[in-house]
């Protein structure tokens, strides 16, 4: 099978990571793959915020958890880190005034997750980026980075080295997935 297709098919959502830094050159390759995702009318409206700073990563995790749980800082599954211990968060946002922003940002997320898999890294899409960057704290983070245009959060792509038994086995594809018209 073609290696690209194999990378797509073999990718899984990883929900447990090793406490091990990801080399910058690998992150740069993943980000580059995200930058080349197709966008509506080639608007290139998404941006990626790459977070490897542990303090900021933990702050983002707390913001995400606050959205899920409010003041109860433990989920029903007993963990208190919606980023599952991943050392890297690649946040995808897209310009609010672009009609295809959600689709464009979703393609960036997918490209980065497939690229991570191809490089031997685990990844997972974590929701609530929209809500995180609608808060005053989220807006301040963007402002501190010099991002002044109106952006909407699309997703948090967590990246890292997968711990043993970090993801479930592949599930068979449903029988009625494709309908042919020939």
């Amino acid at each position: 099978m073609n290696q690209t297709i194999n990378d797509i098919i073999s990718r899984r959502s990883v929900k447990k990571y090793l406490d091990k830094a990801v080399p910058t050159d690998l992150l740069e390759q993943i980000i580059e793959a995200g930058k080349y995702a197709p966008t509506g009318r080639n608007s290139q409206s998404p941006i990626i915020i790459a977070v490897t700073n542990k303090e900021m990563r933990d702050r983002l995790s707390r913001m995400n958890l606050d959205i899920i749980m409010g003041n109860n800082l433990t989920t029903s599954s007993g963990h208190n880190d919606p980023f599952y211990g991943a050392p890297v968060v690649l946040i995808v946002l897209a310009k609010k005034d672009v009609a295809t922003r959600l689709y464009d940002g979703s393609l960036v997320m997918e490209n980065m997750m497939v690229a991570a898999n191809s490089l031997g890294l685990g990844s997972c899409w974590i929701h609530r980026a929209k809500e995180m960057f609608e808060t005053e704290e989220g807006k301040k983070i963007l402002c501190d980075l010099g991002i002044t245009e109106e952006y909407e959060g699309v997703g948090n792509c967590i990246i890292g080295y997968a711990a043993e038994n970090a993801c479930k086995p592949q599930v068979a594809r449903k029988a009625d997935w494709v309908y042919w018209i020939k």
Side-chain angles (χ1 to χ4, degrees):
M1 179 179 296
N2 171 287
Q3 188 58 48
T4 301
I5 294 170
N6 187 59
D7 290 334
I8 292 168
I9 291 171
S10 64
R11 194 205 70 76
R12 296 284 166 277
S13 292
V14 174
K15 296 185 177 175
K16 188 175 182 186
Y17 293 84
L18 299 176
D19 185 17
K20 179 179 176 183
V22 177
T24 302
D25 67 310
L26 296 183
L27 292 175
E28 288 172 345
Q29 291 177 63
I30 293 166
I31 292 166
E32 193 70 8
K35 288 167 44 180
Y36 279 86
T39 59
R41 303 183 82 193
N42 197 27
S43 67
Q44 299 182 37
S45 78
I47 60 171
I48 302 163
I49 300 173
V51 179
T52 56
N53 174 282
K54 181 163 177 28
E55 183 178 295
M56 179 57 78
R57 179 252 180 249
D58 291 348
R59 179 178 173 190
L60 293 166
S61 174
R62 182 204 34 84
M63 289 170 62
N64 195 293
L65 187 63
D66 285 350
I67 292 163
I68 305 170
M69 304 304 295
N71 292 328
N72 180 7
L73 297 180
T74 304
T75 65
S76 58
S77 62
H79 70 83
N80 62 358
D81 179 11
F83 296 156
Y84 300 103
V88 177
V89 182
L90 302 177
I91 307 157
V92 176
L93 302 101
K95 288 184 181 175
K96 280 188 178 181
D97 63 351
V98 174
T100 58
R101 68 188 173 277
L102 180 59
Y103 313 112
D104 298 346
S106 295
L107 290 166
V108 171
M109 291 284 291
E110 176 68 6
N111 271 20
M112 292 193 305
M113 290 186 294
V114 170
N117 187 57
S118 77
L119 296 170
L121 295 165
S123 68
C124 189
W125 182 319
I126 305 298
H127 289 289
R128 295 168 296 283
K130 179 181 188 300
E131 296 86 349
M132 289 168 63
F133 288 93
E134 288 176 342
T135 67
E136 290 307 311
E137 186 174 8
K139 290 175 185 175
K140 175 139 179 31
I141 290 169
L142 296 179
C143 184
D144 289 348
L145 288 169
I147 300 169
T148 57
E149 293 184 73
E150 291 286 318
Y151 281 91
E152 183 174 300
V154 176
N156 300 290
C157 181
I158 58 172
I159 304 284
Y161 289 98
E164 193 171 331
N165 301 318
C167 44
K168 297 175 183 176
Q170 185 179 57
V171 175
R173 302 294 96 175
K174 64 183 183 176
D176 63 345
W177 194 285
V178 178
Y179 294 85
W180 286 89
I181 300 174
K182 294 184 179 183

